[in-house]
Amino acid sequence: MGSGHYFWAIFYFASLCSASLANNAKINFREKEKKVLDQILGAGKYDARIRPSGINGTDGPAIVRINLFVRSIMTISDIKMEYSVQLTFREQWTDERLKFDDIQGRLKYLTLTEANRVWMPDLFFSNEKEGHFHNIIMPNVYIRIFPNGSVLYSIRISLTLACPMNLKLYPLDRQICSLRMASYGWTTNDLVFLWKEGDPVQVVKNLHLPRFTLEKFLTDYCNSKTNTGEYSCLKVDLLFKREFSYYLIQIYIPCCMLVIVSWVSFWLDQGAVPARVSLGVTTLLTMATQTSGINASLPPVSYTKAIDVWTGVCLTFVFGALLEFALVNYASRSDMHKENMKKKRRDLEQASLDAASDLLDTDSNATFAMKPLVRHPGDPLALEKRLQCEVHMQAPKRPNCCKTWLSKFPTRQCSRSKRIDVISRITFPLVFALFNLVYWSTYLFREEEDETF
């Protein structure tokens, strides 16, 4: 009898256990989620117009923590002074009205796709120009509600943001572009934005930009006070460094080559007028076109940029080479005029000497007389002999180093036009090299100062 009661007790306990397991196996957690959502968000139970309470249910401001994931940076425009970015934006806050039973840890969180079902912070991007959400294939947004009432809002957005730039060191510059987020209507008495602890801003690995490099980013607070109160504000500063290699290949090296090509005219013959003129005009027009193309890709600013100094000086050198030929041509014509005058003078002297000799030959009755070496006024023969004597009687002069060096060039000392070409062959490269030394030392030093700052 006792053994029979014991058998039935074991059988009854086993039946209860199997029934309990069967009931657990039949639980539909999706139905449970629906019931929980209807329970906490049902009509008359939750009002999305009322903000959550403060920390620990106090009447303090609601705390919203922000974090970002930068997916890509598409463009950085110098002309419009703006940049485009795509990011995943996340907000997290606690709303005690949304607490629910997690069924012994089996409901980790509830997921919503309709942001209007719960209260949302009125955050906006203060330096935004344009922006849009992503709805392919479905809207890229979700809301997670955790059992303790914590709410996580995540959305993928693309923004075009203003980025005021200082282009004084362009293209050796660094730019700081900000992303500012602020509350539009809630003051700091009702809503406070804070950066999420740990790593509030993340950037995708292998971020590639065509002309910039993202060096670093800094997070900060930027609360603003207006006539209507103080509003909470967050900002992240992105520090971009411009890639100089592109500008070195596309601007600096071609300008140097144009300047050097303009110096070729110094080595051409001064009589090659068409060649020297065409070379000077071609390089000048090419340099002017290069300068206008550079300015077309930049906004019109009231200050002088580093690239303006470079192109301006290169244009001046090219223009100076063209003016040098004008000076050479003028000096050549002046030298030719002087040579013609000297030739005429020598012809006149020679004609007078021939006339005097003819007069002596025709006078057959003239007797030879020894004439003293006395200078008579107006006697050209006596003048020429005196000059020869004076030349031979002059004391030897000390050698001039410059004249000795210039005499090594294939040119005559008396030709001023040739001398101008010889001097230009040395002066132009030396001055251009000195300009390069001053230019690069100045702007590279200022770039290092900005980097340390």
Side-chain angles (χ1 to χ4, degrees):
M1 186 71 177
S3 60
H5 285 292
Y6 182 70
F7 173 75
W8 286 108
I10 293 176
F11 178 76
Y12 179 72
F13 179 75
S15 299
L16 289 176
C17 290
S18 61
S20 176
L21 292 173
N23 290 332
N24 289 337
K26 294 180 181 178
I27 293 177
N28 189 339
F29 288 100
R30 305 290 78 78
E31 290 293 333
K32 287 290 184 182
E33 289 183 9
K34 179 180 180 303
K35 291 181 180 179
V36 172
L37 287 174
D38 292 339
Q39 180 182 359
I40 61 178
L41 297 176
K45 295 182 179 180
Y46 184 86
D47 192 347
R49 299 172 298 177
I50 307 301
R51 73 168 180 87
S53 57
I55 300 176
N56 298 325
T58 62
D59 195 30
I63 305 298
V64 179
R65 298 189 180 275
I66 307 294
N67 70 308
L68 305 172
F69 177 67
V70 179
R71 293 182 173 271
S72 63
I73 299 175
M74 282 75 75
T75 58
I76 301 177
S77 175
D78 297 318
I79 298 178
K80 297 181 179 180
M81 292 194 178
E82 64 184 20
Y83 72 104
S84 300
V85 60
Q86 183 185 126
L87 51 87
T88 298
F89 175 74
R90 304 186 187 98
E91 296 176 303
Q92 193 165 9
W93 67 94
T94 300
D95 193 342
E96 295 185 355
R97 297 172 295 175
L98 300 177
K99 289 182 178 180
F100 63 89
D101 183 14
D102 59 354
I103 312 178
Q104 299 179 354
R106 296 182 181 179
L107 281 179
K108 294 183 178 180
Y109 54 81
L110 304 173
T111 302
L112 295 176
T113 56
E114 299 176 358
N116 58 356
R117 297 289 300 276
V118 297
W119 176 88
M120 294 290 299
D122 61 342
L123 181 140
F124 77 104
F125 297 93
S126 58
N127 60 334
E128 173 208 353
K129 287 186 174 182
E130 294 178 357
H132 67 271
F133 303 118
H134 293 265
N135 298 317
I136 300 176
I137 299 175
M138 293 294 291
N140 299 168
V141 58
Y142 69 78
I143 298 175
R144 291 177 181 174
I145 303 176
F146 295 88
N148 62 350
S150 178
V151 181
L152 173 62
Y153 174 72
S154 177
I155 187 171
R156 185 166 74 101
I157 55 178
S158 293
L159 300 170
T160 300
L161 304 164
C163 179
M165 298 181 181
N166 186 353
L167 300 174
K168 289 184 178 180
L169 298 180
Y170 177 90
L172 301 168
D173 57 334
R174 286 176 169 83
Q175 301 298 335
I176 298 178
C177 295
S178 299
L179 174 64
R180 293 174 176 265
M181 301 157 285
S183 173
Y184 190 81
W186 298 98
T187 64
T188 52
N189 296 326
D190 297 310
L191 179 61
V192 173
F193 291 123
L194 297 176
W195 286 111
K196 182 181 178 180
E197 296 179 357
D199 194 6
V201 178
Q202 298 173 333
V203 180
V204 65
K205 294 182 179 179
N206 301 323
L207 179 64
H208 296 289
L209 296 172
R211 298 185 185 180
F212 289 89
T213 300
L214 179 61
E215 288 192 327
K216 60 181 179 180
F217 53 86
L218 302 172
T219 57
D220 202 357
Y221 296 90
C222 54
N223 291 3
S224 60
K225 291 183 179 181
T226 65
N227 294 334
T228 57
E230 182 179 359
Y231 297 89
S232 182
C233 175
L234 302 178
K235 73 171 181 177
V236 53
D237 292 330
L238 306 173
L239 179 60
F240 296 102
K241 179 183 179 182
R242 197 181 300 273
E243 288 291 342
F244 180 68
S245 58
Y246 169 81
Y247 301 92
L248 180 64
I249 297 173
Q250 296 294 326
I251 296 177
Y252 284 92
I253 293 179
C255 288
C256 280
M257 294 175 65
L258 286 174
V259 172
I260 294 173
V261 166
S262 68
W263 298 341
V264 174
S265 64
F266 303 154
W267 301 87
L268 298 179
D269 186 74
Q270 60 183 0
V273 177
R276 298 187 69 162
V277 170
S278 60
L279 180 63
V281 173
T282 302
T283 53
L284 182 63
L285 292 178
T286 306
M287 192 67 217
T289 304
Q290 180 87 349
T291 303
S292 62
I294 295 170
N295 293 330
S297 62
L298 293 173
V301 292
S302 59
Y303 48 82
T304 302
K305 303 179 288 294
I307 195 67
D308 294 336
V309 176
W310 175 263
T311 56
V313 173
C314 290
L315 189 62
T316 302
F317 270 92
V318 174
F319 184 68
L322 186 60
L323 289 183
E324 188 270 349
F325 170 67
L327 182 61
V328 166
N329 187 266
Y330 172 78
S332 176
R333 288 186 286 108
S334 178
D335 291 340
M336 290 179 60
H337 179 69
K338 289 183 178 179
E339 287 291 332
N340 292 333
M341 295 298 293
K342 289 182 179 179
K343 185 177 181 180
K344 289 181 180 181
R345 191 179 300 111
R346 285 196 299 268
D347 292 342
L348 290 176
E349 292 177 355
Q350 185 65 33
S352 61
L353 290 176
D354 293 342
S357 61
D358 292 341
L359 182 63
L360 290 175
D361 291 340
T362 55
D363 191 4
S364 57
N365 297 326
T367 57
F368 180 78
M370 198 72 167
K371 296 182 179 180
L373 188 59
V374 180
R375 179 174 61 91
H376 298 281
D379 187 358
L381 185 60
L383 178 61
E384 183 179 358
K385 292 180 178 180
R386 185 180 65 87
L387 290 176
Q388 292 177 358
C389 294
E390 288 180 357
V391 169
H392 290 291
M393 295 298 292
Q394 284 179 353
K397 295 182 179 180
R398 299 180 61 182
N400 192 326
C401 297
C402 295
K403 290 184 177 180
T404 304
W405 178 76
L406 289 174
S407 63
K408 296 180 182 180
F409 291 89
T411 179
R412 294 179 300 169
Q413 290 279 337
C414 60
S415 178
R416 293 184 302 167
S417 58
K418 296 269 185 163
R419 214 178 316 172
I420 293 173
D421 273 341
V422 171
I423 294 174
S424 298
R425 295 170 191 173
I426 306 301
T427 305
F428 274 72
L430 285 179
V431 176
F432 190 68
L434 180 62
F435 161 72
N436 274 270
L437 178 62
V438 175
Y439 180 87
W440 295 112
S441 60
T442 300
Y443 284 103
L444 290 178
F445 179 72
R446 291 179 64 180
E447 183 187 14
E448 293 177 357
E449 283 186 345
D450 292 345
E451 184 177 1
T452 55
F453 177 75

